[in-house]
Amino acid sequence: MATRRNLLVMSVATATALALAACGATAENDEGGAGDGKPVAGLRIMVPNTPGGGYDTTARTAAKVMEDAKLATGVQVFNLPGAGGTVGLQRMVNEKGNGKLAMQMGLGVVGASYTSKSSATLTQTTPLAKMIEEAGAIVVPKDSPYRTIDDLIAAWKKDPRGIAVGGGSSPGGPDHLLPMQLAKTVGIDPRQVNFVSYDGGGELLPAVLGGKVAFGASGFGEFLDQVEAGQIRVLAVTSEQPIEALKEVPTLKASGIDLVFTNWRGIVAPPGISDADKKVWLDVLTGMHESAEWKAELARRGWTDAFITGDAFGTFLTEQDRSVAELLRQLGLA
């Protein structure tokens, strides 16, 4: 009889534990979860570069959509810039087991982890989701003498060291890889390119507006407000097809330059988080992706939907890590 009672107690305990895990929240707190219909509380998203850049815009847009769609409440977004994103990456790895924290990241952090000789790597994190892809843009201030991409390329070829190009990422990041690939495509030795690195689009923008660089290369979404205000002109975008948000701007290919370049952004969590916490993030991110609010933001910002989660994103991240490392080794940067 005692044995039967013990088995019954064990069964009830097991069922209770499974129910707690299914609700999508950790057992230590009772903050609700994506699986029980209540908005998740206490989530935090770290942006590993300065306010105003692409990671920052993506993270704050995602947080707002999570709240507007009633998937989460009180989502905190904070910035921890430095070393192309690797200061934030190190913090992420150090936060092992913290299931309430995630980091907005992308191609730039992959490259920076090599060029900055970071001891922390993205392969140590918990992959959550790839969110978007975004074409690059070649931009100049409104009073620039370069009216077309052909004007700029002609001047650049004549004096590659004298024409400074700014990017919102460290060497190895997308804003560095884009002008290097563009230079190579138009016949300029990439080693002669005068590249000026800024820690995110938030620092790049005033450099372009202030004429500290002749042109900028970054994700086009970072400049839309300034384009609409007439402060910046986009000479070309790097997508295969024209961008809806910039209908009058030609692609590089349409301008006779055979180059297509696309950046991507995703989100990762610290290593060692629980399955329940991982499920909360995946449920919230999937719900965000499926929401009308997110679809509206994709259209408004010209972002391309590239949503994959969990193991699929982990496989993608491993492949990106390998290919970027090989490219940087060829450039002598890793």
Side-chain angles (χ1 to χ4, degrees), residues 119-334:
S119 59
T121 67
L122 283 166
T123 54
Q124 294 173 275
T125 66
T126 301
L128 293 176
K130 178 185 175 189
M131 299 163 69
I132 62 168
E133 291 180 348
E134 182 182 37
I138 305 301
V139 302
V140 295
K142 64 179 180 180
D143 57 354
S144 169
Y146 311 119
R147 308 300 299 180
T148 67
I149 189 68
D150 289 338
D151 293 342
L152 173 62
I153 297 301
W156 201 19
K157 283 183 174 181
K158 288 180 181 178
D159 187 14
R161 295 189 186 276
I163 304 291
V165 50
S169 62
S170 60
D175 293 4
H176 171 249
L177 297 176
L178 169 53
M180 294 302 162
Q181 291 191 16
L182 177 59
K184 186 176 180 181
T185 302
V186 301
I188 297 171
D189 183 347
R191 293 171 296 182
Q192 293 187 342
V193 172
N194 181 6
F195 177 75
V196 183
S197 175
Y198 295 91
D199 197 359
E203 290 189 3
L204 172 62
L205 180 58
V208 174
L209 291 172
K212 293 182 179 179
V213 293
F215 69 102
S218 192
F220 77 89
E222 301 190 29
F223 304 108
L224 284 179
D225 289 344
Q226 287 71 34
V227 171
E228 292 175 1
Q231 297 175 312
I232 277 181
R233 286 186 285 111
V234 183
L235 301 185
V237 291
T238 67
S239 50
E240 185 78 41
Q241 300 295 330
I243 299 295
E244 181 67 23
L246 298 167
K247 294 180 180 179
E248 305 303 316
V249 177
T251 64
L252 289 174
K253 290 193 75 172
S255 303
I257 300 170
D258 190 17
L259 176 64
V260 173
F261 183 92
T262 303
N263 189 13
W264 59 268
R265 296 188 191 121
I267 190 164
V268 298
I273 67 171
S274 69
D275 289 343
D277 283 333
K278 183 177 180 180
K279 183 178 186 301
V280 167
W281 276 109
L282 292 178
D283 285 350
V284 169
L285 288 166
T286 300
M288 179 202 74
H289 171 253
E290 294 173 351
S291 71
E293 292 89 344
W294 183 248
K295 290 178 173 60
E297 290 292 346
L298 291 177
R300 185 168 81 86
R301 298 180 183 278
W303 291 338
T304 300
D305 185 8
F307 193 74
I308 55 174
T309 62
D311 292 343
F313 179 45
T315 299
F316 171 83
L317 202 53
T318 299
E319 292 170 351
Q320 287 284 291
D321 187 80
R322 186 183 303 114
S323 63
V324 169
E326 177 59 31
L327 177 58
L328 293 176
R329 278 191 287 269
Q330 293 174 7
L331 293 172
L333 294 173

